[in-house]
Amino acid sequence: MVDPPLVRICDLAGRPRGAGFAADDRGTVVTSHEAVDGLGRVVLHAPDGSGMCVVGPESVVELPEADLALVRTEGLGVAPVPVAASGTPAAGAYVRIPAGGWREARVLGHAEVIYAASGRRHVLDGALELAVGTAGADALLRGGGAAGGPVVDAGTGAVVAVLGTALDAGHPAAGFAVPLRAAAAADPYGPLADLLARNAATVPAYGPDLNLAGVLQVAAVSVGSDGPGPGAGPEPVERPDVVRELADFGRGEAFVVALVGDPGSGRTTELAAFAARRTGAPTLWLRGADLRGDDASVADAVERALERAGRIVAASREDGAPGELSPERVATAARAAGRPLVLLLDGPEEMPPVLAHRLAAWSRGTERWLSRCGVRLVVACRGEYWEQAGTLFSAEALYGCVRLGDLTGEGARLARERFGIPAGALADRDAGHPLALRLLGEVRAAVPEGGPDGCPDRDEVFVAHLDLMCLRVAVRLAAPAGVRGSGVRRLAARVSGRLHEAARRSLGPGQGGLDRETFEELFPWGVLHGVSGWASAVLAEGVLVPAGAGYRFAHEEVADWIQGMHLDLDAALAALVFRRRGGDGGVPVPRHRAGPVVRALLLVGRERDSGELDLRLRELAGRVASGECAEASWWAAHLLRGVLLRVPDAGVHLSVLEELAERGVFGPGFWRALPVADEVRFELVRRLVVRDPEPGAGERHLDAVAEQLVAEPARVQRQLIRWFDDERVLPAMPDATVATAAQALLHTHRHRDVDDLIEALVDCGHARGAELLGTLADEEPSAVCRAVERWARDERADRRGAAVSFGLRVAARVTLEVDLGLLRRAALALLARPADGALHGGALALLLREPGCCGGSSGSARWGFSRSSPRP
């Protein structure tokens, strides 16, 4: 154990008054009151004499009632010492004290002592009575120089008390000390209590005195060593919705939340950002690959993570290991400080298959432990995993899931800017995909020409990035061997071949990784093809990374992509979807391993033709409809969804989409994200709305349409008008049809873009459009007046006819001068066209309706003319 550094305290003349120790990161020194009593200015010296600080009375907080003083210093540079959290040592305990050098002393018991200062006597109850050898006893006498020195626990090195040489118990004793925790408890809101709270939060202590700072240090090591580490790229773009959701989770009662997204959507990045925001709060990083088959709960993984972090902390400490760091003790220390421990579990899909088959029991054990210890859990995973795992937690435990997708709008633009990707340098549909942006940014930064030609899509970016990684590995291998020029290119080709073989081998049993033996066979540590260090080169470039007992590709989406190239698609579909009744009794493939199958299907359409892919999709759609096997149906539906959302144009597979729509296979989110033309999308949704549940009973396609109408009114209005001929009844609302529902939506959300709506309605020439226009004339007269004025000047005869018809309809509702002016200009424009004689009567009627028109003719005359005029 290393003895703590002592601050020497003197008066201005240099005479010693006592000692003290630094207690926080602000330079606050704790000493005895007798060491500073009566001094106008206090001189403090660093232990090695390298620093000195002189302070006045304004920097000294005197606590004579406890024979203590707190001195605020600057520039001493003394490392703070932890204060014991375990309270006052019991009689018989051994401590170490600075009494003419560091000496061992024994606690004889506790005594009531009297401290006299400034003419007052203070009674201190519970002072430590110490026994020490003769050599140390002289230093404990008044004026002996030990006043204010820290009393430290002989086992942990944490401070338990402060020596006082002016304390009197009425009987002879070698020495006394004031317990710090007891003194702070006497004034729980006082300056000493505040200092000890700051000490616990900033000065790490371990073993029995484990405090918040110790927990924070271990947790920071865990995040730094097991987490993704600081990236070499730019700062990630903040997602306000994710920040808000996780903040709400932290304030709520539920203690499990999931960050759910496809590979490449930024799950790990968001976990790391969340950990960075938790400044001063303990966060522990766990990886699914580090879970073990016999784990009873997440606590087992926490224990191993703490052991790893503890070894790293021990290597940096002069006094060695930090002692016991059990999950329960760490969680208790964090909760006691009001800052609960949060676990970040990244990629739980990578857990061993044995544990995956025990997932229900593991989840129950995890929930019990989290609840008992006050710990929270954030899981970052694929949707396929959470679809099953999320149901294994109780409603009380579960906050829910936070969905991650591509960046949009300003977030996507900012990400492209940070990665140095100009507008139009990435295909539109991938322009907000986090992984595609990151990898393209790396390629553009490494390649003088700026990366792939044209406007690459995600797959082309992956190809370019893999080529770059192969070249970098080859350069790393070639340099020690003196290989140059074409030899490096040949070496890069060999690296590529071995990475593709690694992808093929990853498709075997397991969770998509390589065991250690296979990895070392493909990438030996020794010599291969005349060069050595394959394993270290591949790992150093980050193409493959350690994962549990094996290795895997660094980027999960890249792994799916390259594994999909080597998948036997027919065999995979036969096993997953077109299995015979009764099955083969084998272990089912985990659902989260669907990625390579989706990629293999996409490759069919990309490298062969859409016709062959369409045949396979038809087969999958038929399997969804059969309902013979729930697991096979799930795989068929999931593969269909994954492929149709990723093809360049899903409209090529219209017959498949129509079949799915007729059966109502997918929810509104799928149809909204489907890459098809608007006309196709809304025609499909029109088929789906008749399957909507009652309002409030689940997701409804009509509600999704309403959201789109609010977001993009001009785009959606004309599509909904196409529904005016559909008189099918909506089962969930028997009084409504598809046509009346469309009409009602347009009316309800008319305020978003009423001018465009009016134009769309007059364009359609449908009776329901005219009906809705009539309603708008009554409810939105200003908008209709603007339309009438536009139509009166239109070259199309039907528009000018509509100007008269709806102008007369709206005239009765007009009260504003600006609207009257619009109608007046419309009437004059119509009268200015001699060829429109049939419309002149209506135009005159519009003028006659205006007050003050025609030399002040009476209102009764105007209304008489109006009644004789045709009505719309």
Side-chain angles (χ1 to χ4, degrees):
M1 182 184 69
V2 178
D3 293 318
L6 290 179
V7 176
R8 292 185 296 112
I9 300 175
C10 304
D11 60 16
L12 281 175
R15 292 185 292 266
R17 292 294 299 260
F21 68 95
D24 64 7
D25 54 355
R26 303 177 185 178
T28 306
V29 172
V30 179
T31 186
S32 66
H33 182 264
E34 59 201 78
V36 300
D37 188 27
L39 294 181
R41 297 178 73 78
V42 181
V43 182
L44 302 99
H45 297 271
D48 57 0
S50 61
M52 183 185 75
C53 179
V54 180
V55 301
E58 72 281 356
S59 296
V60 179
V61 178
E62 299 186 41
L63 304 171
E65 67 278 4
D67 188 18
L68 295 172
L70 313 179
V71 184
R72 294 188 293 272
T73 69
E74 292 183 5
L76 279 183
V78 180
V81 183
V83 175
S86 51
T88 305
Y94 285 92
V95 294
R96 289 180 60 78
I97 61 174
W102 282 96
R103 305 178 187 278
E104 190 172 84
R106 189 176 181 216
V107 178
L108 295 179
H110 304 84
E112 182 181 279
V113 297
I114 294 175
Y115 170 61
S118 303
R120 293 191 59 186
R121 292 163 55 86
H122 303 278
V123 178
L124 283 68
D125 192 19
L128 299 184
E129 184 173 346
L130 304 174
V132 68
T134 304
D138 291 341
L140 294 179
L141 296 176
R142 189 161 191 164
V151 178
V152 301
D153 187 290
T156 67
V159 177
V160 295
V162 171
L163 291 172
T165 61
L167 302 176
D168 182 15
H171 63 268
F176 294 99
V178 178
L180 286 174
R181 289 291 172 190
D187 186 8
Y189 301 102
L192 179 59
D194 287 345
L195 176 63
L196 297 192
R198 196 159 59 248
N199 178 275
T202 59
V203 187
Y206 295 97
D209 295 312
L210 180 67
N211 59 9
L212 175 62
V215 173
L216 288 172
Q217 186 176 55
V218 171
V221 168
S222 166
V223 173
S225 60
D226 295 335
E235 179 186 359
V237 173
E238 183 178 278
R239 305 193 196 198
D241 54 336
V242 176
V243 174
R244 183 177 58 255
E245 288 277 10
L246 291 178
D248 290 345
F249 164 69
R251 291 189 291 264
E253 297 295 325
F255 47 86
V256 179
V257 69
L259 281 176
V260 177
D262 292 335
S265 60
R267 300 189 311 251
T268 301
T269 299
E270 288 303 319
L271 273 192
F274 178 56
R277 290 194 298 271
R278 284 179 53 79
T279 304
T283 308
L284 206 65
W285 194 285
L286 306 173
R287 298 180 301 178
D290 294 329
L291 301 177
R292 295 181 182 172
D294 58 352
D295 284 352
S297 73
V298 75
D300 296 317
V302 172
E303 184 172 23
R304 292 190 294 272
L306 291 173
E307 288 176 358
R308 291 193 299 272
R311 289 194 294 269
I312 297 173
V313 170
S316 66
R317 286 166 54 92
E318 295 181 4
D319 53 354
E324 181 190 5
L325 287 171
S326 71
E328 289 74 19
R329 290 200 65 241
V330 169
T332 299
R335 182 166 57 175
R339 305 180 194 183
L341 176 66
V342 171
L343 310 177
L344 307 180
L345 177 55
D346 190 22
E349 305 93 332
E350 298 175 8
M351 67 175 60
V354 173
L355 182 57
H357 298 145
R358 297 179 40 249
L359 187 57
W362 182 87
S363 299
R364 289 193 298 269
T366 293
E367 180 174 336
R368 286 193 297 268
W369 184 80
L370 294 173
S371 178
R372 184 174 70 252
C373 296
V375 178
R376 295 172 181 265
L377 174 65
V378 183
V379 182
C381 59
R382 300 174 71 135
E384 300 95 331
Y385 172 86
W386 192 246
E387 182 180 323
Q388 294 179 303
T391 64
L392 302 177
F393 292 99
S394 69
E396 294 75 19
L398 198 59
Y399 176 85
C401 70
V402 180
R403 298 283 177 182
L404 294 180
D406 286 357
L407 298 168
T408 59
E410 179 62 16
R413 186 202 64 77
L414 185 58
R416 291 192 295 271
E417 180 180 286
R418 291 180 180 179
F419 281 112
I421 301 173
L426 187 60
D428 287 345
R429 65 178 309 173
D430 294 321
H433 186 65
L435 183 59
L437 291 172
R438 175 180 172 180
L439 299 188
L440 180 58
E442 291 181 15
V443 172
R444 291 179 64 87
V447 179
E449 294 79 13
D453 294 332
C455 184
D457 63 12
R458 195 182 313 180
D459 285 22
E460 291 166 333
V461 169
F462 290 172
V463 169
H465 189 265
L466 182 62
D467 290 345
L468 174 63
M469 292 296 101
C470 292
L471 182 59
R472 283 179 170 172
V473 172
V475 169
R476 191 178 286 270
L477 291 170
V483 178
R484 293 181 177 83
S486 60
V488 176
R489 291 192 292 273
R490 287 193 297 271
L491 200 52
R494 291 192 176 104
V495 173
S496 177
R498 295 205 161 245
L499 287 175
H500 278 275
E501 178 62 14
R504 189 185 68 80
R505 302 259 192 118
S506 298
L507 290 167
Q511 306 289 36
L514 295 172
D515 58 40
R516 188 173 299 277
E517 293 75 16
T518 304
F519 172 80
E520 292 179 353
E521 176 190 341
L522 294 172
F523 308 103
W525 298 96
V527 178
L528 177 69
H529 295 305
V531 294
S532 62
W534 286 72
S536 57
V538 168
L539 295 175
E541 290 299 336
V543 185
L544 294 167
V545 295
Y551 300 86
R552 62 175 57 249
F553 283 90
H555 300 298
E556 190 178 0
E557 187 177 15
V558 173
D560 286 350
W561 166 75
I562 194 171
Q563 289 171 14
M565 298 180 191
H566 302 281
L567 181 71
D568 185 337
L569 184 57
D570 291 325
L573 293 178
L576 298 172
V577 181
F578 306 114
R579 60 185 71 179
R580 294 182 178 179
R581 293 185 181 181
D584 56 8
V587 177
V589 177
R591 290 182 173 183
H592 60 263
R593 292 293 293 141
V597 189
V598 171
R599 282 290 180 175
L601 284 165
L602 288 168
L603 199 61
V604 170
R606 189 180 185 97
E607 294 192 349
R608 301 180 196 175
D609 58 65
S610 59
E612 182 174 343
L613 177 59
D614 194 67
L615 289 175
R616 292 186 180 274
L617 296 182
R618 285 173 180 270
E619 292 175 341
L620 291 173
R623 194 61 173 177
V624 172
S626 71
E628 293 180 8
C629 172
E631 188 68 8
S633 294
W634 183 92
W635 277 97
H638 189 79
L639 296 176
L640 276 169
R641 180 187 180 91
V643 171
L644 289 170
L645 290 178
R646 286 288 298 125
V647 294
D649 179 14
V652 173
H653 310 289
L654 184 58
S655 60
V656 175
L657 295 174
E658 289 174 341
E659 181 179 352
L660 295 174
E662 289 294 340
R663 298 181 180 277
V665 174
F666 298 123
F670 168 82
W671 301 100
R672 186 169 184 171
L674 197 65
V676 293
D678 280 345
E679 292 78 6
V680 175
R681 186 190 326 279
F682 281 92
E683 178 59 26
L684 293 168
V685 173
R686 185 179 65 81
R687 298 169 181 250
L688 288 157
V689 293
V690 296
R691 292 181 169 274
D692 275 349
E694 294 182 0
E699 285 190 307
R700 304 173 72 240
H701 293 88
L702 270 181
D703 295 336
V705 170
E707 292 173 6
Q708 289 180 271
L709 182 59
V710 170
E712 300 177 90
R715 174 185 164 204
V716 178
Q717 287 165 351
R718 293 183 179 273
Q719 300 302 328
L720 279 181
I721 287 172
R722 297 172 182 266
W723 294 10
F724 281 173
D725 287 322
D726 194 334
E727 297 297 338
R728 289 177 301 161
V729 174
L730 299 177
M733 297 182 291
D735 294 333
T737 66
V738 174
T740 59
Q743 197 178 34
L745 283 175
L746 291 170
H747 177 261
T748 299
H749 301 288
R750 63 190 183 277
H751 301 294
R752 300 294 300 179
D753 193 345
V754 67
D755 290 313
D756 279 346
L757 173 59
I758 290 173
E759 291 298 330
L761 291 172
V762 77
D763 278 346
C764 75
H766 197 282
R768 289 196 179 277
E771 182 181 6
L772 184 51
L773 272 174
T775 302
L776 294 179
D778 295 335
E779 298 178 358
E780 305 290 340
S782 295
V784 173
C785 286
R786 292 194 296 272
V788 167
E789 197 271 341
R790 289 194 304 271
W791 297 338
R793 301 176 184 280
D794 201 295
E795 294 300 322
R796 291 168 290 182
D798 60 332
R799 285 294 190 277
R800 298 195 297 276
V804 172
S805 178
F806 288 100
L808 293 170
R809 174 67 179 266
V810 77
R813 298 284 186 179
V814 171
T815 57
L816 299 177
E817 178 60 35
V818 64
D819 294 340
L820 290 169
L822 290 170
L823 294 181
R824 182 190 315 119
R825 289 195 294 275
L828 293 174
L830 290 168
L831 291 172
R833 287 179 176 266
D836 284 349
L839 301 178
H840 287 179
L844 288 170
L846 280 177
L847 289 175
L848 287 171
R849 283 176 181 261
E850 185 179 351
C853 172
C854 301
S857 57
S858 69
S860 58
R862 291 199 303 275
W863 281 109
F865 183 90
S866 174
R867 285 193 294 270
S868 66
S869 302
R871 299 282 291 177

